[in-house]
Each structure stands twice: as structure tokens, then as C-alpha cells.
Amino acid sequence: MSGFGLAVLLVGLALLVVLGSWLVGTANRLDRLHVRTDAAWAALDAALARRAVVARAVAGTLDPRAGDRLRVLADRAERAPRREREPAENALSRELAGVDRQSIPLVLAAELVDAEHRVVIARRVHGDAVRDTLAQRRRRVVRWFKLAGTAPQPAYLEIAEPQPTDLPRPRPAARVVLLDATDRVLLFHGHDPADPGDSYWFTAGGGVEPGEDLRGAAVRELREETGVDLPPDALTGPIWRRRVAFSFEGRNYDGEEWFFLARLPEGAQVSTDGFTELEARTIAEHRWWTPEDLRETTDTVYPVQLADLLPNLPDETWSGAPRTVR
């Protein structure tokens, strides 16, 4: 063989090695994409299964007809084979969208919101994995050399689900009806940063932190907002419970407020030095109110029944069960 022929052979072999290495690398990348898609589907399947479980729990709190319908749709979605999954999951989504979140316990509403959020995230991850895998499978070299092998072609799961921003965020809160020596109640005057013109008066208190019980949250919020540090057993209640839908800073909330009764210790003074940056920015003032003040004011006060409830508080014996108020 001449020197030229040998050179051509060596170049050809080198090209074959390069091509082979490239094809192997492409096949490995495609294999990893299939593995990623399978893992994403497993995560989405688990998220949908959890949503079905929560939906059945929600069904138990509804009237019998609505509850039975929701329970059937949840069972059907959970058991549907892959080819029938989309219509079954969409039917469940539509039924859940019609559930009045204010009519079910807040803890269950929070579970449902969390389950729906997880479905949204898992579906997005699965969709991204399917998109990348299909893009790789459509390449000519992959089709010509059949690098996908016998792996089935992945498919999107086209289901409609609410966006997380459209869902009210569950917010449990602990509040304190703080009375002074003359049975006046302490209220703060604040506003929503998204609507400064809409102001209102409200009792001390705020959101319950993860892992915190209601009484502990009430004590902490009272200390932070008023400087009054009371032991937990100095609070009576919760005496009232209030369920309310509201918005703050452009976000919708499903709120459940639990009210405790407390008395200002002799000689104690209210201090707002412990306000957070948000509280300092949105709370303009605080003052003590008598029942007469509450009945005569045209300002918005929460709870709205406070003028009627306040006169009986000093002498009212707590039954151990909270009263539902507005």
C-alpha cells in the first residue's frame, strides 16, 4: 500500500472513531433524557395521587351530593390508565375549582393549596423534560441511526390546573383583645400597602409561624407589637374565631383568626418599638377604644362585631369553646 493510501485509511479510521464517539455520546445523552423524563413523570404521578387523596378528604366536609361527586372523580383520576389520565385529571381539576375554600377547615384548605401547588410544579418539570427529550429525538442523526432504540416516545400531560398566584394562601393568625383597667380595647390603625386609602382598625396579633401553637403565637405577637410580655397562662381563650378572605400587598389570603383575651398589667405601657419594617410602614397609630367609641365611629373596625362584643367581655365566662364572629 502506498503512503498516500495509508494516509487516507488512517484519516478514514480517525473519522470513524470520531463519528462513533459522537454517536455514543449522543445516545448516552438521549438515554439520560429518557431517565429524566421517567423520573419527572414519577414525581408528577405522585403529586397527582396526593391531590386525589386530599380531594377525598375535602369531599368528606362537603354536602353529600357534592362530596360523593368529588370522591368519585378523585378515585377515577387516581386509577385511570395513562391514556385516560388527562380527561380524568381535568375533570377533577374542574370540580376542585368549584369548591368554596372558605367552607372547609383551614388546615384542609392549606393541604389542598399545597397539593395543587405541587401538581403545578411537577407538571412544569415534566413538561420541560418531555420537551428536551422530544427535541433530541427529532434530530436527523438520532432518527437515521435509531439512537432512541426501543424507548417509547414521551408525551406531555395536558391538564389544566390553577396557577399558584390565583389561589388564596391559607393564613392562620393569633390575635389578642387587650383590655386596660377601664375595659377599653387596644386597636391599631393600618392600611394595605397596595391600597393606602383603605384603612382600618384591628387588634394586636398576626400570623402563626410554622410549628408554633396559637397561644404561643399570641404571646409573641403581643410582645412584638405592644411591648407587653405576658405569660401564656395570662391569656384566656381562644374566645373567638373569625374566618375571612382578604388581600394584602396584592396577594389573596384565606385567613382564620383566633382571638385571646388579656388584661394590661398595672403600670405597663404600650410600646411599638418592636414593630417590623412592614408594620412601621403600614400602621399609623394606636389607641384605646370604649364600646361607645366603637358604636359611634364611621371607621372600619375588625372584627366588625367588636362594638357589640366588647361590653360583655369583662364579665363573660369563657366556656372553653371559641365563638364564631365576623
Side-chain angles (χ1 to χ4, degrees):
M1 180 180 295
S2 66
F4 177 75
L6 181 59
V8 171
L9 179 61
L10 291 175
V11 170
L13 290 173
L15 289 175
L16 285 175
V17 170
V18 172
L19 177 61
S21 298
W22 183 73
L23 290 176
V24 169
T26 302
N28 287 336
R29 170 172 166 73
L30 187 58
D31 182 62
R32 289 193 298 271
L33 286 171
H34 280 113
V35 171
R36 174 188 166 199
T37 302
D38 290 343
W41 168 251
L44 177 56
D45 186 49
L48 291 169
R50 179 171 180 262
R51 184 178 72 158
V53 171
V54 177
R56 281 193 291 271
V58 171
T61 68
L62 306 178
D63 67 80
R65 178 175 296 182
D68 288 345
R69 184 170 59 248
L70 180 58
R71 191 177 297 107
V72 168
L73 291 175
D75 289 343
R76 186 177 299 164
E78 191 174 39
R79 298 171 183 172
R82 180 67 176 84
R83 65 182 179 278
E84 299 173 10
R85 196 69 179 270
E86 286 183 7
E89 293 292 352
N90 279 321
L92 179 58
S93 293
R94 286 192 295 271
E95 192 67 22
L96 286 172
V99 172
D100 179 9
R101 309 297 169 101
Q102 294 289 307
S103 68
I104 62 178
L106 188 71
V107 173
L108 196 53
E111 282 288 318
L112 180 57
V113 169
D114 182 68
E116 290 175 323
H117 283 193
R118 290 177 185 271
V119 169
V120 171
I121 295 170
R123 181 173 177 269
R124 184 177 303 154
V125 172
H126 177 259
D128 290 346
V130 171
R131 180 200 62 213
D132 295 344
T133 304
L134 291 178
Q136 185 75 354
R137 289 179 65 119
R138 292 189 187 107
R139 296 177 63 184
R140 289 191 181 92
V141 67
V142 172
R143 290 186 283 108
W144 289 345
F145 289 93
K146 301 187 183 303
L147 298 182
T150 59
Q153 180 164 296
Y156 295 101
L157 187 69
E158 299 293 350
I159 60 172
E161 73 281 322
Q163 294 299 316
T165 53
D166 296 332
L167 299 169
R169 178 181 297 176
R171 185 179 186 271
R175 298 200 164 276
V176 179
V177 182
L178 184 65
L179 303 182
D180 68 1
T182 60
D183 296 332
R184 297 179 303 172
V185 63
L186 178 69
L187 297 180
F188 293 96
H189 191 207
H191 67 272
D192 179 355
D195 188 8
D198 182 19
S199 63
Y200 42 86
W201 294 87
F202 54 95
T203 63
V208 179
E209 296 180 352
E212 192 175 37
D213 64 23
L214 290 172
R215 188 175 295 270
V219 168
R220 175 184 54 77
E221 286 286 341
L222 184 66
R223 181 177 61 252
E224 292 173 355
E225 295 183 354
T226 69
V228 177
D229 193 3
L230 294 177
D233 58 6
L235 274 60
T236 301
I239 57 172
W240 303 333
R241 171 185 174 272
R242 177 174 180 255
R243 188 76 179 269
V244 58
F246 67 98
S247 62
F248 192 78
E249 290 191 297
R251 185 70 195 260
N252 294 326
Y253 292 91
D254 178 4
E256 187 173 42
E257 299 178 333
W258 301 86
F259 291 82
F260 292 83
L261 176 64
R263 180 76 67 173
L264 183 72
E266 185 177 353
Q269 298 292 325
V270 173
S271 170
T272 59
D273 292 343
F275 270 7
T276 64
E277 183 276 332
L278 178 62
E279 289 167 341
R281 181 160 47 90
T282 58
I283 297 178
E285 59 179 321
H286 64 275
R287 56 168 284 202
W288 296 93
W289 292 69
T290 66
E292 292 73 22
D293 294 333
L294 291 170
R295 281 191 287 268
E296 293 173 1
T297 186
T298 57
D299 292 350
T300 301
V301 178
Y302 297 118
V304 296
Q305 295 173 276
L306 189 57
D308 298 325
L309 296 169
L310 185 59
N312 298 323
L313 271 181
D315 303 319
E316 192 174 78
T317 301
W318 182 50
S319 66
R323 173 181 176 179
T324 299
V325 301
R326 293 181 288 108

